[in-house]
């Protein structure tokens, strides 16, 4: 089965902790993305990567970090500097070669709650 | 710069009646346009996409959308709503060279029995 997996499905964080959200894809896509979704709001871009070992900040990168050491994997770390991390996090991937018409595929999401 | 505007934050219909979710786009050239659906606590699933082929695009679950350049619109329709259609719907435009899609703010579809 091809697709995107995210783990864990639910994650709880204490104040001052760093946590890492996993995102893995077996679609052989070059580009990967992390979005944050808050209740009643659309998707906001945190980070994206178009190729291994390269990534760029999105609209709300402060308090987050990423790595892209493998094509299949794009983990997101929510650091203690992120003051309001409770949200639903979505990972996506997309084939890079076809231009604007290429479809973005999404994982099932991780719900992060700060205790 | 490209953008999309979803004209309604909420749409309420009765089961069995038609669905219309409105999306207008802004683009300096021929855009790629997508509709996604998101059920509660799930990821986004592609319903359909327009990439400058046929202007009437058929998608999954009986949904379709028509690209109208003169009106800069890409409205999503379904002839008869089902309870399982209740979800959040996003209109998205594909980017140019930067591969950063632009999302609308979403429309919540409510289906009454």
């Amino acid at each position: 089965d091809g697709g995107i997996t995210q783990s864990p499905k639910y994650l709880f964080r204490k104040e001052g902790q760093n946590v890492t959200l996993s995102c893995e894809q077996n679609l052989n896509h070059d580009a990967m993305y992390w979005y944050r979704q808050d209740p009643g709001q659309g998707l906001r871009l945190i980070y994206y990567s178009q190729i291994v070992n390269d990534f760029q900040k999105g609209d709300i990168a402060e308090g987050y970090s990423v790595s892209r050491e493998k094509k299949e994997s794009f983990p997101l770390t929510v650091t203690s500097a992120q003051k309001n991390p409770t949200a639903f996090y979505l990972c996506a991937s997309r084939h890079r070669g076809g231009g604007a018409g290429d479809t973005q595929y999404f994982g099932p999401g991780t719900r992060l709650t700060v205790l | 710069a490209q953008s999309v505007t979803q004209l309604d934050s909420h749409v309420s219909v009765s089961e069995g009646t038609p669905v219309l979710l409105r999306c207008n786009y802004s683009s300096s050239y021929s855009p790629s346009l997508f509709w996604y659906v998101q059920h509660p606590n799930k990821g986004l699933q592609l319903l359909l996409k327009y990439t400058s082929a046929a202007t009437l695009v058929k998608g999954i679950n009986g949904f379709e959308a028509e690209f109208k350049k003169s009106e800069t619109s890409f409205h999503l329709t379904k002839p008869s709503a089902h309870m399982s259609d209740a979800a959040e719907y996003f209109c998205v435009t594909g980017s140019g060279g930067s591969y950063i899609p632009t999302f609308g703010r979403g429309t919540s579809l409510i289906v009454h029995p």
Side-chain angles (χ1 to χ4, degrees), chain A residues 9 33 35 37 40-43 45 48 50 88 90 94 96-97 99-109 111, chain B residues 2 32 34 36 38 41-46 49 51 88 90 92-101 103-106:
Chain A
K9 186 173 177 61
Y33 308 76
Y35 293 93
Q37 188 176 30
Q41 297 194 27
L43 277 65
L45 182 65
Y48 65 100
Q50 297 186 38
F88 191 54
L90 287 161
R94 182 177 178 188
R96 187 165 172 256
D102 281 340
T103 300
Q104 205 175 28
Y105 294 89
F106 286 82
R111 184 163 296 283
Chain B
Q2 299 187 86
S32 294
F34 307 78
Y36 285 86
Q38 183 184 32
N41 295 311
K42 302 289 186 184
L44 276 68
Q45 179 185 17
L46 180 71
K49 71 176 183 179
T51 54
E88 191 82 12
F90 292 96
V92 182
T93 184
S95 63
S98 62
Y99 305 104
I100 307 301
F103 285 78
R105 293 183 62 83

Side-chain angles (χ1 to χ4, degrees), chain B residues 14-85:
Chain B
S14 297
E15 190 174 22
T17 64
V19 175
L20 171 63
L21 305 182
R22 299 182 294 165
C23 174
N24 284 357
Y25 70 90
S26 172
S27 175
S28 57
Y29 49 89
S30 183
S32 294
L33 292 159
F34 307 78
W35 275 101
Y36 285 86
V37 60
Q38 183 184 32
H39 289 92
N41 295 311
K42 302 289 186 184
L44 276 68
Q45 179 185 17
L46 180 71
L47 281 175
L48 49 83
K49 71 176 183 179
Y50 167 77
T51 54
S52 73
T55 56
L56 182 62
V57 183
K58 294 189 182 299
I60 62 171
N61 301 334
F63 285 94
E64 63 181 37
E66 186 171 8
F67 175 75
K68 291 187 176 180
K69 187 175 181 179
S70 61
E71 299 176 9
T72 61
S73 69
F74 190 58
H75 301 334
L76 182 70
T77 61
K78 183 174 181 178
S80 176
H82 192 272
M83 294 297 291
S84 61
D85 294 328

